[in-house]
Protein backbone atom coordinates (compact mmCIF):
# COMPACT_ATOMS: atom_id res chain seq x y z
CA UNK A 1 0.00 0.00 0.00
CA UNK A 2 1.61 3.26 -1.12
CA UNK A 3 0.58 6.87 -1.37
CA UNK A 4 0.94 6.57 -5.13
CA UNK A 5 -1.78 3.92 -5.35
CA UNK A 6 -4.07 5.31 -2.66
CA UNK A 7 -7.56 6.29 -3.76
CA UNK A 8 -9.69 9.12 -2.43
CA UNK A 9 -13.45 8.77 -2.34
CA UNK A 10 -15.81 11.72 -1.88
CA UNK A 11 -19.04 10.57 -0.23
CA UNK A 12 -21.63 13.28 -0.99
CA UNK A 13 -25.19 12.05 -0.45
CA UNK A 14 -28.50 13.70 0.34
CA UNK A 15 -30.62 12.38 3.22
CA UNK A 16 -32.66 9.18 3.04
CA UNK A 17 -35.93 10.82 4.04
CA UNK A 18 -37.67 9.11 6.95
CA UNK A 19 -34.63 7.04 7.74
CA UNK A 20 -31.20 8.70 7.89
CA UNK A 21 -29.73 12.17 7.64
CA UNK A 22 -27.20 12.88 4.91
CA UNK A 23 -24.42 12.79 7.51
CA UNK A 24 -25.59 9.37 8.74
CA UNK A 25 -25.71 8.02 5.19
CA UNK A 26 -22.18 9.26 4.52
CA UNK A 27 -20.84 7.83 7.81
CA UNK A 28 -22.37 4.39 7.20
CA UNK A 29 -20.92 4.16 3.69
CA UNK A 30 -17.53 5.35 4.95
CA UNK A 31 -17.59 2.75 7.74
CA UNK A 32 -18.14 0.01 5.18
CA UNK A 33 -15.40 1.25 2.85
CA UNK A 34 -12.89 1.68 5.68
CA UNK A 35 -13.58 -1.81 7.00
CA UNK A 36 -12.05 -3.35 3.87
CA UNK A 37 -9.64 -0.59 2.81
CA UNK A 38 -6.58 -2.26 4.29
CA UNK A 39 -7.67 -5.88 4.00
CA UNK A 40 -5.90 -8.84 2.36
CA UNK A 41 -5.49 -8.59 -1.37
CA UNK A 42 -6.10 -4.85 -1.44
CA UNK A 43 -3.74 -3.00 -3.75
CA UNK A 44 -4.55 0.47 -2.51
CA UNK A 45 -5.44 2.40 0.58
CA UNK A 46 -8.72 4.28 0.43
CA UNK A 47 -9.29 7.67 2.01
CA UNK A 48 -12.88 8.79 2.52
CA UNK A 49 -13.91 12.44 2.40
CA UNK A 50 -17.44 13.09 3.68
CA UNK A 51 -19.63 15.91 2.35
CA UNK A 52 -23.28 15.52 3.42
CA UNK A 53 -25.47 17.51 1.04
CA UNK A 54 -28.92 19.03 0.74
CA UNK A 55 -30.91 20.52 -2.12
CA UNK A 56 -32.71 23.29 -0.27
CA UNK A 57 -35.22 21.03 1.46
CA UNK A 58 -35.17 19.43 4.88
CA UNK A 59 -31.67 18.63 6.06
CA UNK A 60 -30.27 21.89 4.70
CA UNK A 61 -29.25 23.25 8.11
CA UNK A 62 -27.54 19.97 9.02
CA UNK A 63 -25.67 19.93 5.71
CA UNK A 64 -24.48 23.51 6.22
CA UNK A 65 -23.30 22.69 9.76
CA UNK A 66 -21.44 19.60 8.49
CA UNK A 67 -19.70 21.87 5.98
CA UNK A 68 -18.45 24.23 8.70
CA UNK A 69 -21.35 26.58 9.48
CA UNK A 70 -22.18 27.20 13.13
CA UNK A 71 -25.48 25.92 14.47
CA UNK A 72 -27.59 28.46 16.34
CA UNK A 73 -30.48 27.09 18.39
CA UNK A 74 -33.79 28.86 18.83
CA UNK A 75 -37.25 28.09 20.19
CA UNK A 76 -40.09 28.74 17.73
CA UNK A 77 -43.76 27.95 17.31
CA UNK A 78 -44.14 24.49 15.82
CA UNK A 79 -46.72 23.71 13.14
CA UNK A 80 -49.53 23.50 15.71
CA UNK A 81 -48.31 26.39 17.85
CA UNK A 82 -46.52 24.30 20.47
CA UNK A 83 -42.93 25.46 21.07
CA UNK A 84 -40.24 23.40 19.35
CA UNK A 85 -36.46 23.56 19.48
CA UNK A 86 -35.17 24.53 16.05
CA UNK A 87 -31.85 25.65 14.63
CA UNK A 88 -30.36 27.77 11.89
CA UNK A 89 -26.87 27.68 10.39
CA UNK A 90 -24.58 30.72 10.08
CA UNK A 91 -21.04 31.25 8.85
CA UNK A 92 -20.73 34.99 9.49
CA UNK A 93 -22.10 35.90 6.06
CA UNK A 94 -24.85 33.45 5.11
CA UNK A 95 -27.64 32.09 7.29
CA UNK A 96 -29.61 28.96 6.40
CA UNK A 97 -33.18 28.74 7.73
CA UNK A 98 -35.28 25.64 7.26
CA UNK A 99 -39.03 24.94 7.20
CA UNK A 100 -38.63 21.28 8.18
CA UNK A 101 -37.04 21.92 11.58
CA UNK A 102 -39.33 24.84 12.44
CA UNK A 103 -42.81 23.92 11.20
CA UNK A 104 -42.36 20.73 9.21
CA UNK A 105 -44.36 17.53 8.95
CA UNK A 106 -41.94 15.74 11.25
CA UNK A 107 -42.83 18.13 14.10
CA UNK A 108 -46.56 17.41 14.18
CA UNK A 109 -47.50 16.03 17.62
CA UNK A 110 -47.91 12.24 17.42
CA UNK A 111 -47.60 12.52 13.63
CA UNK A 112 -51.24 13.62 13.32
CA UNK A 113 -51.65 15.61 10.10
CA UNK A 114 -53.25 19.06 10.33
CA UNK A 115 -53.94 20.13 6.73
CA UNK A 116 -56.05 23.16 7.68
CA UNK A 117 -54.65 24.22 11.05
CA UNK A 118 -50.87 23.86 10.64
CA UNK A 119 -49.00 27.15 10.39
CA UNK A 120 -45.72 28.45 8.99
CA UNK A 121 -45.29 30.93 11.86
CA UNK A 122 -42.24 29.16 13.29
CA UNK A 123 -40.38 29.63 10.02
CA UNK A 124 -40.93 33.39 10.25
CA UNK A 125 -39.68 33.37 13.83
CA UNK A 126 -36.51 31.57 12.71
CA UNK A 127 -36.03 34.20 9.99
CA UNK A 128 -36.18 36.89 12.69
CA UNK A 129 -33.49 35.00 14.61
CA UNK A 130 -31.34 34.92 11.47
CA UNK A 131 -31.87 38.64 10.85
CA UNK A 132 -30.61 39.40 14.37
CA UNK A 133 -27.19 38.09 13.23
CA UNK A 134 -26.98 40.73 10.46
CA UNK A 135 -26.29 38.26 7.62
CA UNK A 136 -25.53 39.38 4.10
CA UNK A 137 -27.90 36.71 2.82
CA UNK A 138 -30.44 34.23 4.13
CA UNK A 139 -31.03 30.93 2.37
CA UNK A 140 -34.64 29.82 2.78
CA UNK A 141 -34.96 26.01 2.68
CA UNK A 142 -38.62 25.21 2.09
CA UNK A 143 -39.00 21.43 1.95
CA UNK A 144 -41.11 19.33 4.31
CA UNK A 145 -43.76 21.84 5.38
CA UNK A 146 -46.82 20.72 7.36
CA UNK A 147 -48.95 23.69 6.33
CA UNK A 148 -50.72 25.10 3.30
CA UNK A 149 -51.18 28.64 4.55
CA UNK A 150 -49.53 30.58 1.72
CA UNK A 151 -46.89 31.79 4.17
CA UNK A 152 -49.57 33.64 6.20
CA UNK A 153 -48.08 32.36 9.44
CA UNK A 154 -44.57 33.34 8.40
CA UNK A 155 -45.71 36.85 7.45
CA UNK A 156 -47.56 37.20 10.76
CA UNK A 157 -44.34 36.45 12.66
CA UNK A 158 -42.60 39.12 10.59
CA UNK A 159 -45.16 41.76 11.56
CA UNK A 160 -47.97 41.52 8.99
CA UNK A 161 -51.45 41.68 10.53
CA UNK A 162 -54.40 39.79 9.04
CA UNK A 163 -57.96 40.62 10.10
CA UNK A 164 -61.42 39.27 9.33
CA UNK A 165 -64.48 41.30 8.30
CA UNK A 166 -65.10 42.20 11.98
CA UNK A 167 -61.59 43.53 12.42
CA UNK A 168 -60.51 40.56 14.54
CA UNK A 169 -56.94 39.29 14.34
CA UNK A 170 -56.43 36.06 12.40
CA UNK A 171 -53.72 33.52 13.17
CA UNK A 172 -51.82 32.29 10.13
CA UNK A 173 -53.37 28.95 9.16
CA UNK A 174 -54.85 27.43 6.05
CA UNK A 175 -58.28 27.44 7.65
CA UNK A 176 -58.14 31.20 8.16
CA UNK A 177 -57.14 32.09 4.60
CA UNK A 178 -60.75 32.39 3.50
CA UNK A 179 -61.53 34.72 6.43
CA UNK A 180 -58.98 37.40 5.52
CA UNK A 181 -60.64 40.75 4.86
CA UNK A 182 -57.74 43.14 5.35
CA UNK A 183 -53.96 43.07 5.72
CA UNK A 184 -51.68 45.56 7.43
CA UNK A 185 -48.39 45.24 5.58
CA UNK A 186 -45.44 46.03 7.83
CA UNK A 187 -42.19 47.21 6.29
CA UNK A 188 -39.31 45.07 7.56
CA UNK A 189 -36.28 47.36 7.88
CA UNK A 190 -34.15 44.45 9.07
CA UNK A 191 -34.35 43.06 5.53
CA UNK A 192 -32.67 46.14 4.04
CA UNK A 193 -29.43 45.02 2.47
CA UNK A 194 -30.12 41.32 3.15
CA UNK A 195 -30.39 39.04 0.14
CA UNK A 196 -33.13 36.42 0.41
CA UNK A 197 -32.62 33.24 -1.60
CA UNK A 198 -35.14 30.44 -2.03
CA UNK A 199 -33.06 27.40 -2.94
CA UNK A 200 -35.62 25.07 -4.49
CA UNK A 201 -36.37 23.11 -7.62
CA UNK A 202 -40.15 23.20 -7.12
CA UNK A 203 -41.84 24.97 -10.03
CA UNK A 204 -45.51 24.86 -9.01
CA UNK A 205 -47.59 28.07 -8.83
CA UNK A 206 -49.47 29.01 -5.67
CA UNK A 207 -52.93 27.74 -6.60
CA UNK A 208 -54.89 26.02 -9.36
CA UNK A 209 -54.60 22.48 -10.73
CA UNK A 210 -50.81 22.53 -10.40
CA UNK A 211 -50.76 24.59 -7.21
CA UNK A 212 -49.78 23.85 -3.64
CA UNK A 213 -53.13 22.43 -2.40
CA UNK A 214 -53.74 20.17 -5.38
CA UNK A 215 -50.22 18.79 -5.71
CA UNK A 216 -48.87 18.77 -2.16
CA UNK A 217 -52.04 18.93 -0.06
CA UNK A 218 -52.76 15.17 -0.05
CA UNK A 219 -49.41 14.32 1.55
CA UNK A 220 -50.32 16.75 4.33
CA UNK A 221 -53.66 15.05 4.91
CA UNK A 222 -55.90 17.31 2.81
CA UNK A 223 -59.15 15.79 1.53
CA UNK A 224 -60.75 16.77 -1.77
CA UNK A 225 -62.93 19.26 0.11
CA UNK A 226 -59.88 20.62 1.98
CA UNK A 227 -58.00 21.11 -1.27
CA UNK A 228 -60.86 23.12 -2.76
CA UNK A 229 -61.16 25.25 0.40
CA UNK A 230 -57.41 25.90 0.56
CA UNK A 231 -57.31 26.82 -3.12
CA UNK A 232 -60.09 29.39 -2.62
CA UNK A 233 -58.40 30.62 0.54
CA UNK A 234 -55.10 31.22 -1.23
CA UNK A 235 -56.95 33.20 -3.89
CA UNK A 236 -58.46 35.32 -1.11
CA UNK A 237 -55.00 35.84 0.43
CA UNK A 238 -53.64 37.12 -2.88
CA UNK A 239 -56.61 39.45 -3.36
CA UNK A 240 -56.30 40.86 0.17
CA UNK A 241 -52.59 41.50 -0.27
CA UNK A 242 -53.27 43.24 -3.59
CA UNK A 243 -55.86 45.48 -1.89
CA UNK A 244 -53.26 46.29 0.77
CA UNK A 245 -50.95 47.72 -1.85
CA UNK A 246 -48.74 44.78 -2.79
CA UNK A 247 -49.57 45.16 -6.45
CA UNK A 248 -47.36 42.27 -7.54
CA UNK A 249 -49.21 39.65 -5.45
CA UNK A 250 -51.21 38.16 -8.34
CA UNK A 251 -48.14 38.05 -10.58
CA UNK A 252 -46.06 36.39 -7.88
CA UNK A 253 -48.79 33.83 -7.15
CA UNK A 254 -48.50 32.59 -10.74
CA UNK A 255 -44.70 32.51 -10.65
CA UNK A 256 -42.99 29.09 -10.76
CA UNK A 257 -42.05 28.11 -7.22
CA UNK A 258 -44.77 30.14 -5.48
CA UNK A 259 -46.38 26.85 -4.44
CA UNK A 260 -43.27 25.64 -2.60
CA UNK A 261 -43.90 24.51 0.98
CA UNK A 262 -47.64 25.10 0.95
CA UNK A 263 -47.24 28.57 -0.53
CA UNK A 264 -44.38 29.78 1.68
CA UNK A 265 -42.52 30.26 -1.59
CA UNK A 266 -45.09 32.90 -2.54
CA UNK A 267 -44.64 34.75 0.75
CA UNK A 268 -40.86 34.67 0.36
CA UNK A 269 -41.15 36.19 -3.12
CA UNK A 270 -43.43 38.85 -1.66
CA UNK A 271 -40.51 39.82 0.61
CA UNK A 272 -38.19 40.08 -2.38
CA UNK A 273 -36.61 36.61 -2.36
CA UNK A 274 -35.41 35.15 -5.63
CA UNK A 275 -35.38 31.46 -6.43
CA UNK A 276 -32.36 29.50 -7.60
CA UNK A 277 -31.79 25.82 -8.36
CA UNK A 278 -31.61 24.17 -4.96
CA UNK A 279 -29.22 21.39 -5.93
CA UNK A 280 -26.64 23.55 -7.68
CA UNK A 281 -26.88 26.36 -5.12
CA UNK A 282 -26.11 24.03 -2.24
CA UNK A 283 -23.29 22.36 -4.16
CA UNK A 284 -21.77 25.84 -4.52
CA UNK A 285 -22.53 26.84 -0.93
CA UNK A 286 -20.89 23.68 0.42
CA UNK A 287 -17.89 24.02 -1.94
CA UNK A 288 -18.48 20.76 -3.79
CA UNK A 289 -16.20 21.55 -6.74
CA UNK A 290 -13.19 22.16 -4.49
CA UNK A 291 -13.88 19.09 -2.36
CA UNK A 292 -14.30 16.95 -5.47
CA UNK A 293 -11.04 17.97 -7.12
CA UNK A 294 -8.55 15.55 -5.43
CA UNK A 295 -10.97 12.61 -5.49
CA UNK A 296 -10.91 9.57 -7.75
CA UNK A 297 -14.44 8.36 -7.05
CA UNK A 298 -17.62 10.23 -6.07
CA UNK A 299 -20.49 8.52 -4.27
CA UNK A 300 -23.83 10.29 -4.09
CA UNK A 301 -27.41 9.27 -3.46
CA UNK A 302 -30.80 9.92 -1.90
CA UNK A 303 -33.82 7.98 -0.70
CA UNK A 304 -35.23 7.29 -4.16
CA UNK A 305 -33.75 7.55 -7.64
CA UNK A 306 -36.38 7.80 -10.35
CA UNK A 307 -37.56 9.94 -13.25
CA UNK A 308 -37.65 13.01 -10.98
CA UNK A 309 -33.93 12.55 -10.37
CA UNK A 310 -33.34 13.00 -14.08
CA UNK A 311 -35.05 16.39 -13.88
CA UNK A 312 -32.12 17.80 -11.92
CA UNK A 313 -32.34 16.55 -8.34
CA UNK A 314 -29.19 16.37 -6.27
CA UNK A 315 -27.65 13.08 -7.54
CA UNK A 316 -27.98 14.32 -11.11
CA UNK A 317 -26.30 17.61 -10.25
CA UNK A 318 -23.48 15.81 -8.40
CA UNK A 319 -22.89 13.44 -11.32
CA UNK A 320 -22.94 16.26 -13.84
CA UNK A 321 -20.37 18.24 -11.84
CA UNK A 322 -18.03 15.33 -11.07
CA UNK A 323 -16.05 15.58 -14.31
CA UNK A 324 -14.18 12.54 -15.60
CA UNK A 325 -14.50 10.55 -12.38
CA UNK A 326 -16.29 7.38 -11.47
CA UNK A 327 -19.69 8.31 -10.02
CA UNK A 328 -21.71 5.82 -7.98
CA UNK A 329 -25.14 6.36 -6.48
CA UNK A 330 -26.64 4.69 -3.42
CA UNK A 331 -30.39 4.85 -2.86
CA UNK A 332 -33.15 3.30 -0.83
CA UNK A 333 -34.88 2.23 -4.01
CA UNK A 334 -34.22 2.75 -7.68
CA UNK A 335 -37.02 3.00 -10.23
CA UNK A 336 -34.57 3.96 -12.93
CA UNK A 337 -33.72 1.10 -15.32
CA UNK A 338 -30.07 0.30 -15.93
CA UNK A 339 -30.15 1.69 -19.44
CA UNK A 340 -31.01 5.13 -17.99
CA UNK A 341 -28.02 5.30 -15.61
CA UNK A 342 -25.90 7.01 -18.23
CA UNK A 343 -28.51 9.78 -18.53
CA UNK A 344 -27.62 11.12 -15.08
CA UNK A 345 -24.70 10.12 -15.76
CA UNK A 346 -23.82 7.34 -13.28
CA UNK A 347 -21.55 4.31 -13.45
CA UNK A 348 -23.60 2.28 -11.00
CA UNK A 349 -26.70 2.53 -8.80
CA UNK A 350 -26.87 0.52 -5.56
CA UNK A 351 -30.35 0.20 -4.07
CA UNK A 352 -30.95 -0.94 -0.50
CA UNK A 353 -34.13 -2.65 -1.70
CA UNK A 354 -31.98 -5.07 -3.73
CA UNK A 355 -30.29 -6.32 -0.56
CA UNK A 356 -33.33 -7.02 1.60
CA UNK A 357 -36.98 -7.95 1.41
CA UNK A 358 -37.71 -5.71 4.40
CA UNK A 359 -38.79 -2.08 4.15
CA UNK A 360 -35.78 0.00 5.18
CA UNK A 361 -37.41 3.37 4.48
CA UNK A 362 -38.50 3.84 8.14
CA UNK A 363 -35.81 1.70 9.73
CA UNK A 364 -32.61 3.66 10.45
CA UNK A 365 -30.72 0.66 11.85
CA UNK A 366 -31.47 -1.55 8.85
CA UNK A 367 -30.66 1.27 6.43
CA UNK A 368 -27.30 1.92 8.11
CA UNK A 369 -26.43 -1.79 8.12
CA UNK A 370 -27.22 -2.10 4.42
CA UNK A 371 -25.23 1.02 3.62
CA UNK A 372 -22.21 -0.41 5.46
CA UNK A 373 -22.60 -3.60 3.44
CA UNK A 374 -22.73 -1.66 0.18
CA UNK A 375 -19.74 0.39 1.37
CA UNK A 376 -17.76 -2.82 1.83
CA UNK A 377 -18.68 -3.89 -1.69
CA UNK A 378 -17.63 -0.55 -3.14
CA UNK A 379 -14.43 -0.56 -1.08
CA UNK A 380 -13.47 -4.02 -2.33
CA UNK A 381 -13.95 -2.95 -5.93
CA UNK A 382 -11.91 0.21 -5.53
CA UNK A 383 -9.20 -1.39 -3.37
CA UNK A 384 -8.63 -4.23 -5.84
CA UNK A 385 -8.40 -1.76 -8.71
CA UNK A 386 -11.63 -3.17 -10.17
CA UNK A 387 -13.02 0.33 -10.10
CA UNK A 388 -15.41 1.90 -12.59
CA UNK A 389 -13.71 3.56 -15.51
CA UNK A 390 -13.68 7.33 -15.14
CA UNK A 391 -16.95 9.23 -15.18
CA UNK A 392 -18.04 9.34 -18.78
CA UNK A 393 -16.82 6.00 -20.17
CA UNK A 394 -19.42 3.86 -18.39
CA UNK A 395 -17.69 0.46 -18.24
CA UNK A 396 -20.47 -1.71 -16.76
CA UNK A 397 -18.21 -4.59 -15.73
CA UNK A 398 -16.44 -2.59 -13.03
CA UNK A 399 -18.11 -3.02 -9.65
CA UNK A 400 -20.53 -5.65 -10.96
CA UNK A 401 -18.18 -8.48 -10.05
CA UNK A 402 -18.22 -7.66 -6.35
CA UNK A 403 -22.01 -7.57 -6.25
CA UNK A 404 -22.46 -11.32 -6.67
CA UNK A 405 -20.34 -12.08 -3.63
CA UNK A 406 -22.88 -10.41 -1.37
CA UNK A 407 -26.05 -11.80 -2.94
Amino acid sequence: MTAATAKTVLIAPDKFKGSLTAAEVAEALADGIRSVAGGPGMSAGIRCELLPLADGGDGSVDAAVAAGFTRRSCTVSGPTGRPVQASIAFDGVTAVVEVANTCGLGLLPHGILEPLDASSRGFGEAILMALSLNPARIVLALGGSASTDGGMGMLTALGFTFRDSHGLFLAGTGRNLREISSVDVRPIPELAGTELIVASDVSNPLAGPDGAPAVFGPQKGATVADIAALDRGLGNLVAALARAGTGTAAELAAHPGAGSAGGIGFACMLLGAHQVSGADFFLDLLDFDTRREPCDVVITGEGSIDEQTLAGKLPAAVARRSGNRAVLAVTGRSLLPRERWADLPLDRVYALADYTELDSSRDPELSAALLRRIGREIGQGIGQDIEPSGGRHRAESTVESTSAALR
Side-chain angles (χ1 to χ4, degrees), residues 88-290:
I88 67 174
F90 187 54
D91 71 348
V93 176
T94 300
V96 180
V97 183
E98 180 181 307
V99 164
N101 76 22
T102 56
C103 54
L105 280 165
L107 300 176
L108 287 166
H110 311 296
I112 299 173
L113 300 175
E114 297 285 357
L116 297 178
D117 294 317
S119 174
S120 61
R121 182 181 179 89
F123 185 59
E125 293 170 350
I127 292 173
L128 287 176
M129 163 69 174
L131 286 170
S132 73
L133 302 173
N134 298 313
R137 72 180 64 85
I138 300 177
V139 180
L140 305 164
L142 304 189
S145 70
S147 63
T148 307
D149 69 353
M152 181 183 175
M154 181 195 87
L155 293 173
T156 299
L158 294 173
F160 283 50
T161 303
F162 298 85
R163 301 183 186 277
D164 66 13
S165 59
H166 302 290
L168 298 177
F169 171 78
L170 292 169
T173 67
R175 188 183 299 278
N176 284 341
L177 289 169
R178 60 189 176 185
E179 304 297 332
I180 299 171
S181 178
S182 65
V183 186
D184 294 327
V185 178
R186 171 189 178 257
I188 307 174
E190 298 92 337
L191 285 177
T194 303
E195 181 184 16
L196 295 180
I197 299 172
V198 173
S200 172
D201 294 302
V202 172
S203 59
N204 302 76
L206 180 62
D210 297 319
V215 176
F216 304 113
Q219 71 191 39
K220 303 175 188 184
T223 65
V224 172
D226 293 337
I227 290 169
L230 289 166
D231 212 58
R232 290 192 298 271
L234 289 171
N236 186 47
L237 169 67
V238 173
L241 285 165
R243 291 194 302 271
T246 55
T248 59
E251 180 183 341
L252 292 175
H255 195 280
S260 299
I264 297 176
F266 163 72
C268 293
M269 292 177 189
L270 200 71
L271 298 178
H274 63 277
Q275 182 172 333
V276 299
S277 166
D280 279 309
F281 181 84
F282 265 83
L283 288 177
D284 290 339
L285 185 69
L286 304 180
D287 205 19
F288 172 80
D289 290 349
T290 300

Side-chain angles (χ1 to χ4, degrees), residues 30-125:
D31 285 347
I33 292 172
R34 291 166 180 151
S35 71
V36 299
M42 306 294 279
S43 62
I46 305 174
R47 186 165 66 90
C48 293
E49 292 286 336
L50 277 57
L51 182 63
L53 295 175
D55 61 2
D58 45 330
S60 296
V61 167
D62 287 342
V65 169
F69 282 55
T70 299
R71 187 184 301 276
R72 302 292 185 99
S73 296
C74 54
T75 301
V76 301
S77 302
T80 61
R82 296 171 59 177
V84 298
Q85 194 68 20
S87 62
I88 67 174
F90 187 54
D91 71 348
V93 176
T94 300
V96 180
V97 183
E98 180 181 307
V99 164
N101 76 22
T102 56
C103 54
L105 280 165
L107 300 176
L108 287 166
H110 311 296
I112 299 173
L113 300 175
E114 297 285 357
L116 297 178
D117 294 317
S119 174
S120 61
R121 182 181 179 89
F123 185 59
E125 293 170 350

Side-chain angles (χ1 to χ4, degrees), residues 314-340:
L314 192 68
V318 168
R320 176 170 44 80
R321 291 175 57 159
S322 290
N324 193 36
R325 292 170 179 79
V327 184
L328 313 177
V330 181
T331 181
R333 61 171 189 166
S334 175
L335 303 179
L336 202 65
R338 180 187 301 267
E339 57 269 19
R340 303 295 302 278

